[in-house]
mmCIF file of all heavy atoms in Angstrom:
data_model
loop_
_atom_site.group_PDB
_atom_site.id
_atom_site.type_symbol
_atom_site.label_atom_id
_atom_site.label_comp_id
_atom_site.label_asym_id
_atom_site.label_seq_id
_atom_site.Cartn_x
_atom_site.Cartn_y
_atom_site.Cartn_z
ATOM 1 N N VAL L 230 -0.157 15.479 16.292
ATOM 2 C CA VAL L 230 -0.112 15.570 14.701
ATOM 3 C C VAL L 230 1.447 16.049 14.485
ATOM 4 O O VAL L 230 2.046 16.960 15.013
ATOM 5 C CB VAL L 230 -1.021 16.632 14.253
ATOM 6 C CG1 VAL L 230 -0.905 16.636 12.748
ATOM 7 C CG2 VAL L 230 -2.388 16.486 14.693
ATOM 8 N N LEU L 231 1.994 15.304 13.476
ATOM 9 C CA LEU L 231 3.269 15.532 13.008
ATOM 10 C C LEU L 231 3.241 15.990 11.428
ATOM 11 O O LEU L 231 2.449 15.295 10.744
ATOM 12 C CB LEU L 231 4.238 14.332 13.144
ATOM 13 C CG LEU L 231 5.656 14.521 12.807
ATOM 14 C CD1 LEU L 231 6.358 15.544 13.900
ATOM 15 C CD2 LEU L 231 6.450 13.183 12.770
ATOM 16 N N PHE L 232 3.833 17.028 11.140
ATOM 17 C CA PHE L 232 3.830 17.582 9.751
ATOM 18 C C PHE L 232 5.212 17.282 9.180
ATOM 19 O O PHE L 232 6.230 17.890 9.556
ATOM 20 C CB PHE L 232 3.419 18.990 9.651
ATOM 21 C CG PHE L 232 2.115 19.297 10.292
ATOM 22 C CD1 PHE L 232 2.150 19.787 11.532
ATOM 23 C CD2 PHE L 232 0.995 19.082 9.579
ATOM 24 C CE1 PHE L 232 0.845 20.092 12.165
ATOM 25 C CE2 PHE L 232 -0.309 19.334 10.247
ATOM 26 C CZ PHE L 232 -0.216 19.800 11.544
ATOM 27 N N VAL L 233 5.331 16.343 8.165
ATOM 28 C CA VAL L 233 6.747 15.938 7.652
ATOM 29 C C VAL L 233 6.823 16.609 6.281
ATOM 30 O O VAL L 233 6.051 16.438 5.346
ATOM 31 C CB VAL L 233 6.645 14.396 7.463
ATOM 32 C CG1 VAL L 233 8.115 13.993 6.952
ATOM 33 C CG2 VAL L 233 6.391 13.797 8.841
ATOM 34 N N PRO L 234 7.862 17.376 6.176
ATOM 35 C CA PRO L 234 8.202 18.021 4.811
ATOM 36 C C PRO L 234 8.242 16.897 3.740
ATOM 37 O O PRO L 234 8.754 15.840 3.934
ATOM 38 C CB PRO L 234 9.598 18.635 4.933
ATOM 39 C CG PRO L 234 9.608 18.882 6.479
ATOM 40 C CD PRO L 234 8.838 17.866 7.207
ATOM 41 N N ALA L 235 7.691 17.216 2.575
ATOM 42 C CA ALA L 235 7.455 16.194 1.484
ATOM 43 C C ALA L 235 8.836 15.592 1.172
ATOM 44 O O ALA L 235 8.959 14.403 0.910
ATOM 45 C CB ALA L 235 6.788 16.799 0.306
ATOM 46 N N HIS L 236 9.925 16.348 1.101
ATOM 47 C CA HIS L 236 11.122 15.802 0.540
ATOM 48 C C HIS L 236 11.804 14.908 1.648
ATOM 49 O O HIS L 236 12.826 14.142 1.339
ATOM 50 C CB HIS L 236 12.119 16.925 0.214
ATOM 51 C CG HIS L 236 12.567 17.754 1.508
ATOM 52 N ND1 HIS L 236 11.932 18.823 2.019
ATOM 53 C CD2 HIS L 236 13.815 17.712 2.049
ATOM 54 C CE1 HIS L 236 12.504 19.299 3.038
ATOM 55 N NE2 HIS L 236 13.706 18.662 3.099
ATOM 56 N N LEU L 237 11.256 14.910 2.907
ATOM 57 C CA LEU L 237 11.932 13.935 3.956
ATOM 58 C C LEU L 237 10.846 12.777 4.181
ATOM 59 O O LEU L 237 11.186 12.017 5.119
ATOM 60 C CB LEU L 237 12.103 14.717 5.133
ATOM 61 C CG LEU L 237 13.235 15.826 5.193
ATOM 62 C CD1 LEU L 237 13.250 16.577 6.435
ATOM 63 C CD2 LEU L 237 14.591 15.079 4.897
ATOM 64 N N ALA L 238 9.858 12.786 3.595
ATOM 65 C CA ALA L 238 8.817 11.763 3.880
ATOM 66 C C ALA L 238 9.228 10.359 3.695
ATOM 67 O O ALA L 238 9.081 9.629 4.600
ATOM 68 C CB ALA L 238 7.514 11.973 3.079
ATOM 69 N N GLU L 239 9.939 10.099 2.564
ATOM 70 C CA GLU L 239 10.413 8.681 2.395
ATOM 71 C C GLU L 239 11.438 8.267 3.477
ATOM 72 O O GLU L 239 11.394 7.199 3.959
ATOM 73 C CB GLU L 239 10.988 8.571 0.953
ATOM 74 C CG GLU L 239 11.664 7.291 0.735
ATOM 75 C CD GLU L 239 10.808 6.096 0.771
ATOM 76 O OE1 GLU L 239 9.610 6.156 0.318
ATOM 77 O OE2 GLU L 239 11.352 5.018 1.382
ATOM 78 N N GLN L 240 12.336 9.213 3.753
ATOM 79 C CA GLN L 240 13.366 8.930 4.738
ATOM 80 C C GLN L 240 12.738 8.746 6.086
ATOM 81 O O GLN L 240 13.183 7.822 6.847
ATOM 82 C CB GLN L 240 14.381 10.124 4.791
ATOM 83 C CG GLN L 240 15.425 9.942 5.923
ATOM 84 C CD GLN L 240 16.323 11.192 5.897
ATOM 85 O OE1 GLN L 240 16.388 12.022 5.128
ATOM 86 N NE2 GLN L 240 17.027 11.261 7.174
ATOM 87 N N VAL L 241 11.784 9.554 6.483
ATOM 88 C CA VAL L 241 11.106 9.436 7.843
ATOM 89 C C VAL L 241 10.408 8.160 7.879
ATOM 90 O O VAL L 241 10.542 7.479 8.939
ATOM 91 C CB VAL L 241 10.127 10.548 7.917
ATOM 92 C CG1 VAL L 241 9.173 10.374 9.220
ATOM 93 C CG2 VAL L 241 10.946 11.948 8.250
ATOM 94 N N VAL L 242 9.662 7.830 6.819
ATOM 95 C CA VAL L 242 8.870 6.545 6.881
ATOM 96 C C VAL L 242 9.862 5.235 6.882
ATOM 97 O O VAL L 242 9.568 4.409 7.742
ATOM 98 C CB VAL L 242 7.922 6.470 5.717
ATOM 99 C CG1 VAL L 242 7.205 5.120 5.556
ATOM 100 C CG2 VAL L 242 6.785 7.605 5.818
ATOM 101 N N SER L 243 10.772 5.322 6.046
ATOM 102 C CA SER L 243 11.603 4.106 5.902
ATOM 103 C C SER L 243 12.379 3.928 7.178
ATOM 104 O O SER L 243 12.661 2.806 7.620
ATOM 105 C CB SER L 243 12.645 4.206 4.690
ATOM 106 O OG SER L 243 13.525 5.329 4.801
ATOM 107 N N THR L 244 12.921 5.087 7.792
ATOM 108 C CA THR L 244 13.710 4.918 9.045
ATOM 109 C C THR L 244 12.808 4.400 10.169
ATOM 110 O O THR L 244 13.160 3.556 10.922
ATOM 111 C CB THR L 244 14.333 6.257 9.423
ATOM 112 O OG1 THR L 244 15.215 6.693 8.369
ATOM 113 C CG2 THR L 244 15.185 6.115 10.772
ATOM 114 N N SER L 245 11.594 4.923 10.197
ATOM 115 C CA SER L 245 10.702 4.547 11.203
ATOM 116 C C SER L 245 10.317 3.191 11.073
ATOM 117 O O SER L 245 10.007 2.382 12.111
ATOM 118 C CB SER L 245 9.257 5.469 11.164
ATOM 119 O OG SER L 245 9.699 6.781 11.417
ATOM 120 N N GLU L 246 10.200 2.629 9.833
ATOM 121 C CA GLU L 246 9.906 1.216 9.628
ATOM 122 C C GLU L 246 10.995 0.393 10.155
ATOM 123 O O GLU L 246 10.710 -0.643 10.800
ATOM 124 C CB GLU L 246 9.636 0.955 8.114
ATOM 125 C CG GLU L 246 8.475 1.529 7.551
ATOM 126 C CD GLU L 246 8.319 1.391 6.125
ATOM 127 O OE1 GLU L 246 9.456 1.450 5.279
ATOM 128 O OE2 GLU L 246 7.264 1.386 5.505
#
Side-chain angles (χ1 to χ4, degrees):
V230 185
L231 189 69
F232 303 98
V233 180
H236 70 282
L237 291 175
E239 173 61 41
Q240 178 184 342
V241 166
V242 172
S243 60
T244 302
S245 299
E246 289 172 334

